[in-house]
Amino acid sequence: MPTINTQARSVPWSMAAVFIVLTAAFAMLHPMRATAAPTLNLPFPAGAAYTITGGPGSNHHMGAYAAYNQYAVDFGMPANSPVAASASGTVFFAGWKDRFSGNEILIDHGGNECTQYVHLNSVGVGKGQRVAAGQIVGRSGSTGTVSGPHLHWALVYCSGPNAGKNITVPRTVEQGTSYLVGARVTSRNGAAAPAPASNPQHLKEPVAAGCTADAQIIARRNFSGMALEVRYSPKCGTNWLRIQNMRGSVRFYLKSDAYPQEVTSTQNGTGGTHWTNQVHAPGATCITAEATSLSTGKGTGRFRICG
């Protein structure tokens, strides 16, 4: 029965060909993740700290737009604060997106995976530009549909029918995949390499938890009714700024001569004690610290400490 045998053999080959074609078509319409998610840092410069106002699964990240918001993280970042690339990559999009997102930046990290930075007041990079981890790419703001200044950040598909949809919860060096609403998180993005271990005043990279508990006052100054302190943490080998009786909006600046990364932020508060930025603090170097009252337009506390 040669004819029957020939037909019996040809059927599986025909089915295989159809399967291959359908698989290829499905892959084009539904791109899969080609690589593991990139290693990320928080999307602001090392030492800066902000409060998480919306995290994965938050109520305002669900509903009709859950696919575009469910794994996103919102940071309560004052307008015009520097926004940093979470990892190296190529700018896929930069500019005005739409009335919902406002100004947006997408940075392509390969495998059709982009980090997304939304609601920016200004954009400092262009499409096709290569950026390094920690590089300032824009300034936070309140463009698009928002209730106030903040940074909306997520890991999304760069292109294809799923473009802009969240892929997964971003995993960062600082937080892993834990983004609790109300938590104040500190970035290590772009932090300089640690000094040699032989330097006893530079024990390790700064971390948010526990570094303030043992911080010792090394300088103090009063200005505009507030008290500004520079403190050193032996546990973490970092300097911190601390302000007491905070009034209105205050801009902070902290810099170690031994490292190129300066840290700035603007915070609002009334009364109480507020911790702010941190920098590496190796011995035998100089620290520059400054706080300026923005509410009154005058009044500055300034330090220059060496030793």
Side-chain angles (χ1 to χ4, degrees):
M1 307 279 286
T3 303
I4 294 176
N5 287 342
T6 300
Q7 290 176 344
R9 286 194 301 269
S10 65
V11 171
W13 282 106
S14 299
M15 292 177 65
V18 171
F19 177 78
I20 292 171
V21 171
L22 290 176
T23 301
F26 181 84
M28 292 176 64
L29 293 174
H30 302 278
M32 302 295 287
R33 294 177 61 192
T35 60
T39 300
L40 305 173
N41 280 98
L42 291 174
F44 35 92
Y50 298 105
T51 299
I52 295 172
T53 57
S58 299
N59 289 337
H60 66 291
H61 281 176
M62 304 306 288
Y65 299 97
Y68 296 92
N69 292 316
Q70 60 180 332
Y71 301 134
V73 184
D74 288 345
F75 300 97
M77 191 178 294
N80 300 313
S81 299
V83 173
S86 293
S88 61
T90 302
V91 178
F92 184 85
F93 176 85
W96 182 264
K97 179 67 178 298
D98 53 39
R99 65 187 180 91
F100 299 105
S101 298
N103 287 317
E104 176 181 309
I105 294 173
L106 294 175
I107 299 176
D108 187 350
H109 306 290
N112 197 30
E113 297 187 357
C114 282
T115 45
Q116 178 189 49
Y117 314 77
V118 185
H119 305 309
L120 306 175
N121 268 2
S122 61
V123 170
V125 291
K127 183 177 180 179
Q129 180 178 338
R130 286 289 300 174
V131 296
Q135 180 176 335
I136 305 304
V137 294
R139 298 279 171 170
S140 62
S142 54
T143 59
T145 305
V146 298
S147 58
H150 72 282
L151 175 66
H152 177 99
W153 176 71
L155 184 67
V156 304
Y157 291 105
C158 304
S159 60
N162 293 319
K165 291 184 179 180
N166 285 193
I167 299 174
T168 186
V169 178
R171 177 178 291 276
T172 59
V173 171
E174 299 90 346
Q175 295 298 121
T177 56
S178 175
Y179 303 97
L180 298 178
V181 174
R184 188 168 178 81
V185 296
T186 303
S187 173
R188 295 168 58 189
N189 193 354
S198 59
N199 187 335
Q201 288 203 49
H202 189 228
L203 307 180
K204 58 182 179 179
E205 294 279 333
V207 291
C211 287
T212 60
D214 67 339
Q216 306 161 0
I217 299 174
I218 60 174
R220 179 183 173 93
R221 182 154 303 162
N222 296 321
F223 75 104
S224 297
M226 297 175 276
L228 178 67
E229 297 174 350
V230 178
R231 293 196 170 203
Y232 172 69
S233 167
K235 175 181 178 180
C236 297
T238 56
N239 274 110
W240 291 77
L241 284 181
R242 191 178 90 145
I243 191 166
Q244 293 180 301
N245 194 30
M246 186 168 173
R247 299 180 180 181
S249 179
V250 178
R251 177 181 292 137
F252 298 94
Y253 172 90
L254 190 59
K255 175 75 167 60
S256 167
D257 288 2
Y259 295 93
Q261 181 69 56
E262 65 182 42
V263 183
T264 60
S265 72
T266 302
Q267 296 184 26
N268 289 279
T270 302
T273 299
H274 299 261
W275 289 93
T276 183
N277 307 318
Q278 60 180 359
V279 299
H280 294 282
T285 188
C286 296
I287 299 292
T288 300
E290 182 176 308
T292 302
S293 173
L294 301 180
S295 299
T296 61
K298 59 182 180 180
T300 298
R302 185 179 291 111
F303 297 100
R304 176 72 173 169
I305 308 160
C306 299

